[in-house]
């Protein structure tokens, strides 16, 4: 007998598992009992349980030992004990993939499947289908057809579900069972009807017309099973999404009608489907929102939760559509279920007015300690969205967030709060000092390394530019004394930024950095030594390049370039211009940080899209001498319609003195093979086409790549913009779609493509300069030019800023792309690197009267980039 355990033992987990210390060899030894006569059903069932436990725990069982145990188990079919028989079925299913010759039990299972004992028939069908492969499927086809239309629901459901699994291996056989499945779909049993519809859908899912007919048929006939209705709603939704048709279709009417069904499950599924349809209008959402509003006052907690969670999703895209539910949501704020209350409040935060924020904040704070971290993160995200909507309320939000920050919580929760506070600081300059003070207090007792380093980085960037920067030094230096080496290294970098930004603070910072030079950790000592030496030079250009703005290079690219330099020793010093730039601006690199990110594991930096292109292009012999890839266009440009016989997309690659056009071509005709495929380009300006690299062959639906290499004009380096007319040229060879045989002789043909444009943005790579003024001084005014332009077609500063950023393809710095409200003047700071590795900075002063006037000042260490900017804007 097994020892009985009370509930306390079960919850503590102490000794409550009777199979905890099972030995595989001992269990297989026990399995010899199966050969004894008479059979002891209770003992045998217990041993089978042990075998199943071991398999499910991942214990490896060899083919020989599994086969021995399996054959011994087959003798248990002599017993008529129902429990033992059910255990046999389970064991057959689990061991079907491990043991050999499992088909030995086919006759026993077939006998049970067609026998008079209904309790055996369903499980026998499942077990039989598990051991049947595609070659044996026809042998049991007759039995399966009978089982599908059986009057006993459990047998019919078992056969239908087993057929669904068999579709993977024997689709052609199973699709012949459609008539039986149709008959089962009219069953009065709700599960049989649901399973039959599932089978019918999966048989027909690749035939869109057949699926559409099936939905129409059953929507007219009506269904008895709420599960079947839910499935039909999902199928109809999928068809609507694929079709992208208007909402006048019968499918949409069917979903809408389901919201008047007597089953709550069906009503919710229909409302949820409408809410999640892409491009849904407020008018189409209205009936779904009304249904969800009714569910908000349901006595069932599950329905209230489902309704408020779905309304929360709707509020993200259509807050005005949910406003009608505000009263019901306010009632849910006091709901005994804290998950419902949290979702209700976060939904209200998205739909409520500015005046209701204070009241909602008080209500949230009353139960924040009672809800899980997962829901706390939802609250923080809602507050973050609210800050962007009502920036004047930032002080209320900041105080609330800081209160949450002081409470207990996990990494994800704390990270969400810190990110939210940082967003508020960046969007509202007046909140900077309050926010930094809160974060300084938080890092005094912060257990998460990732968050501490993130805040220290922010302090170095923003704290050094506040009216009283010295008050932050104490908090930063405390980290050098009290924290682990990662945080200490980040603190040293932050201290250096204070010294570089403020000459008055240099003496104090230099004393602290000298102390850091005696640290136990190599990284901390090296940083302190490096920064101190740079600061002692007292050169603003050095401070900007090495402390305030840092390197803007691709890490994998730098590693590869250094490795290449060590393999081929040279008299020349290593040139940083040979390293590709970092393609993603630093402010966009807010990658998802997992809770394990603080663990000290060496991480391999993922290669960017540009690094992958660099490797692909360097493998082409004609491109070997082009040097480092400077920039690749972000999205391929389609040069044909997606439905045409040939589909071509173009990606532009910029090098120091050349441009490469990569054409991704697809042949959509199954009776043709294209050979020697090239794209001939004719420039309108002084660009020169150097060569074309063809795609050798394009088979049906197989993508191929061809390239065209062009050189910019040498006589006028400022003429960077150009339009190319493109023609796809190839040799056509007809082929038989069925056999794939190709004719020997082919003929020349061509296909006209859309034009490709080169703009100034293709010659400039975005780089972020966290401290623009320092970078401006670093570049100097040796090659500075200034001109004034009238932007007569633009009526707002926002429109002007967006157009300038997109046209020049440069990175806005210090959040200057955000124009403050009610302002008629603004300054936009842009940074980039011009083709060839020349730093380029632009300051655009904008003034709004009847139209926008712009004064552009450009600086670079070379004359050409400045001339290019002036010529392009002019």
């Amino acid at each position: 007998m097994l020892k009985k355990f009370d509930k306390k033992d079960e919850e503590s987990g102490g000794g409550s598992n009777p199979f905890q210390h099972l030995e595989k060899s001992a269990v297989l030894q026990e399995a010899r009992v199966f050969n004894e006569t008479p059979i002891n059903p209770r003992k045998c069932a217990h041993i089978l349980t042990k075998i199943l436990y071991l398999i499910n725990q991942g214990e490896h069982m060899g083919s020989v030992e599994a086969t021995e145990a399996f054959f011994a188990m087959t003798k248990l079919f002599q017993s008529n004990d129902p429990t033992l028989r059910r255990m046999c079925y389970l064991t057959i299913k689990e061991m079907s993939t491990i043991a050999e010759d499992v088909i030995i039990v086919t006759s026993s299972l077939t006998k049970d499947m067609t026998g008079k004992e209904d309790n055996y028939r369903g499980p026998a069908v499942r077990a039989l289908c598990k051991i049947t492969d595609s070659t044996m499927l026809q042998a049991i086809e007759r039995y399966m057809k009978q089982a599908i239309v059986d009057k006993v629901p459990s047998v019919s459901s078992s056969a239908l579900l087993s057929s669904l699994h068999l579709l993977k291996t024997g689709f052609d056989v199973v699709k012949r069972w459609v008539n039986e499945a149709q008959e089962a779909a009219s069953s009065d049993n709700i599960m049989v009807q649901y399973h039959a519809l599932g089978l019918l859908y999966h048989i027909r899912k690749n035939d869109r017309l057949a699926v559409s007919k099936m939905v129409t048929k059953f929507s007219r006939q009506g269904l008895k099973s709420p599960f079947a209705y839910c499935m039909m709603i999902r199928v109809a939704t999928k068809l609507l999404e694929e079709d992208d048709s208007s909402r006048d279709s019968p499918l949409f009417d069917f979903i809408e009608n389901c919201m008047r069904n007597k089953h709550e499950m069906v009503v919710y599924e229909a409302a949820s489907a409408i809410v999640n349809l892409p491009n849904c209008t407020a008018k189409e959402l209205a009936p779904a929102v009304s249904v969800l509003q009714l569910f908000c006052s349901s006595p069932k907690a599950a329905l209230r939760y489902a309704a408020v969670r779905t309304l929360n999703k709707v509020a993200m895209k259509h807050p005005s559509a949910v406003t009608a539910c505000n009263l019901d949501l306010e009632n849910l704020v006091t709901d005994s279920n804290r998950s419902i209350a949290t979702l209700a409040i976060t939904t209200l935060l998205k739909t409520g007015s500015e005046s209701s924020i204070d009241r909602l904040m008080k209500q949230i704070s009353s139960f924040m300690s009672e809800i899980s971290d997962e829901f706390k993160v939802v609250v923080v995200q809602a507050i973050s969205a609210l800050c962007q909507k009502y920036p004047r309320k930032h002080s209320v939000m900041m105080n609330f967030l800081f209160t949450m920050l002081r409470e207990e919580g996990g990494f994800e929760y704390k990270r969400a709060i810190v990110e939210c506070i940082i967003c508020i600081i960046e969007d509202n300059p007046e909140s900077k000092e309050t926010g930094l003070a809160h974060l300084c207090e938080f890092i005094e007792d912060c257990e998460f390394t990732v968050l501490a380093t993130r805040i220290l980085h922010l302090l170095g960037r923003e704290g050094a530019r506040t009216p009283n920067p010295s008050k932050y030094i104490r908090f930063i230096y405390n980290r050098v004394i009290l924290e682990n080496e990662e945080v200490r290294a980040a603190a040293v970098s932050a201290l250096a930024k204070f010294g570089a930004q403020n000459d008055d603070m240099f003496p104090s910072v230099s004393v602290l950095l000298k102390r850091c030079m005696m640290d136990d950790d190599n990284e901390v000592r090296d940083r302190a030594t490096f920064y101190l030496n740079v600061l002692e030079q007292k050169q603003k250009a050095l401070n900007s390049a090495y402390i305030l703005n840092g390197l803007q290079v691709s890490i994998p690219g730098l590693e590869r370039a250094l490795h290449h330099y060590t393999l081929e020793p040279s008299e020349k010093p290593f040139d940083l211009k040979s390293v590709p730039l970092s393609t993603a601006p630093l402010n966009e690199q807010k990658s998802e940080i997992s809770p394990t990110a603080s663990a000290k594991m060496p991480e391999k930096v993922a290669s960017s899209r540009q690094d992958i292109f660099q490797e692909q292009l360097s493998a082409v012999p004609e491109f070997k001498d082009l040097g480092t890839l400077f920039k690749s266009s972000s999205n391929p440009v389609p040069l044909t319609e997606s439905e045409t016989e040939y589909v071509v997309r173009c990606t532009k690659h910029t090098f120091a003195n050349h441009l490469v056009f990569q054409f991704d071509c697809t042949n959509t005709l199954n009776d043709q093979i294209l050979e020697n495929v090239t794209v001939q380009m004719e420039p309108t300006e002084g660009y020169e086409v150097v060569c074309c690299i063809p795609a050798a062959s394009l088979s049906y639906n197989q993508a191929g790549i061809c390239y065209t290499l062009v050189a910019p004009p040498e006589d006028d380096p400022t003429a960077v913009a150009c339009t190319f007319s493109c023609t796809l040229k190839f040799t056509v060879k007809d082929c038989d779609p069925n056999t794939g045989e190709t004719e020997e002789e082919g003929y020349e043909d061509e296909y006209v493509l859309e034009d490709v444009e080169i703009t100034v943005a293709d010659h400039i790579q975005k780089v972020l300069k966290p401290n623009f003024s320092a970078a401006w001084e670093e570049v100097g005014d040796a090659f500075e030019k200034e001109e004034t332009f009238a932007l007569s077609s633009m009526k707002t500063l926002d429109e002007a800023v967006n157009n300038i950023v997109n046209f020049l393809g440069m990175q806005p710095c210090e959040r200057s792309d955000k124009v403050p409200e009610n302002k008629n003047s603004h300054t936009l700071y842009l940074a980039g690197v011009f083709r060839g590795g020349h730093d380029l900075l632009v300051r655009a002063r904008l003034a709004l009267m009847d139209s926008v006037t712009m004064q552009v000042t450009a600086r670079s260490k070379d004359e050409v980039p400045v001339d290019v900017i002036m010529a392009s804007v002019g």
Side-chain angles (χ1 to χ4, degrees), residues 436 453-466 472 476 490-502 547-548 770-771:
L436 291 177
T453 52
R454 175 95 172 85
I455 292 166
L456 286 166
H457 174 74
L458 179 80
L459 282 172
R461 196 180 76 217
E462 301 291 345
R465 290 189 273 182
T466 54
Y472 301 111
I476 296 172
V492 167
S493 297
L495 282 173
K497 285 178 182 171
F498 277 80
Q501 187 77 31
N502 305 282
I547 299 176
L548 296 172
N771 192 314

Side-chain angles (χ1 to χ4, degrees), residues 15 22 117 121 169 219 324 335 342 382 431 485 544 588 636 661 686 690 733 767 807 815 860 865:
L22 281 182
E117 185 61 63
R121 291 171 64 205
T169 53
S219 59
D335 197 283
T342 309
S431 68
E485 59 272 24
S544 171
E588 289 176 12
F661 296 90
V690 179
K733 287 189 177 178
V767 290
F807 176 71
R815 302 186 72 80
S860 178

Side-chain angles (χ1 to χ4, degrees), residues 3-18 20:
K3 178 189 165 189
K4 277 197 173 180
F5 296 93
D6 60 18
K7 189 150 181 73
K8 196 169 88 176
D9 278 335
E10 190 183 307
E11 285 173 359
S12 67
S16 59
N17 184 355
Q20 202 158 14

